[in-house]
Amino acid sequence: MEAMQRAILDCVAARDEVVLSGNKESFSYLQFRNGIWLHTSGDTMTQEKEISQASEQEVLSALFWKVRDRTGHYGPDDGAVTWQDVLDYFRNGGY
């Protein structure tokens, strides 16, 4: 793992939680609890949810794609968003 990716994980872990998506139908978020990454996803209407443990690579991937979406970059990865962009997004309060 690159130092930049470790810094991203540390930054988000310090905040405890990051929402990946949410609307009237569903929600998804990551939490860092007791040294473990947890991914929670569920149905907004019924509040049924599923919690699973996520690897650091899965967390990094989810964070990368969240930042791509939030910065208006859609479709396949074209290199327009870098790990530095991801770190800057979260350091600047993006969640």
Side-chain angles (χ1 to χ4, degrees):
M1 178 178 304
E2 298 175 21
M4 183 80 57
Q5 293 170 323
R6 172 56 51 204
I8 293 165
L9 291 174
D10 291 346
C11 181
V12 174
R15 291 287 183 119
D16 195 47
E17 180 177 292
V18 62
V19 174
L20 298 175
S21 64
N23 57 39
K24 293 180 182 180
E25 296 175 3
S26 64
F27 58 88
S28 176
Y29 57 91
L30 294 168
Q31 295 176 303
F32 191 68
R33 298 277 193 267
N34 301 318
I36 297 171
W37 287 100
L38 299 173
H39 179 234
T40 302
S41 58
D43 183 288
T44 303
M45 297 299 288
T46 66
Q47 288 299 301
E48 291 179 14
K49 61 184 174 182
E50 181 178 311
I51 302 171
S52 60
Q53 187 171 339
S55 71
E56 290 182 336
Q57 282 307 119
E58 291 169 325
V59 171
L60 285 167
S61 178
L63 296 174
F64 179 83
W65 289 100
K66 175 190 172 78
V67 172
R68 277 186 52 80
D69 183 60
R70 292 296 180 137
T71 58
H73 295 90
Y74 308 106
D77 183 11
D78 58 2
V81 175
T82 66
W83 288 113
Q84 182 64 55
D85 296 326
V86 176
L87 180 59
D88 292 344
Y89 178 86
F90 289 109
R91 279 192 174 159
N92 291 325
Y95 284 90

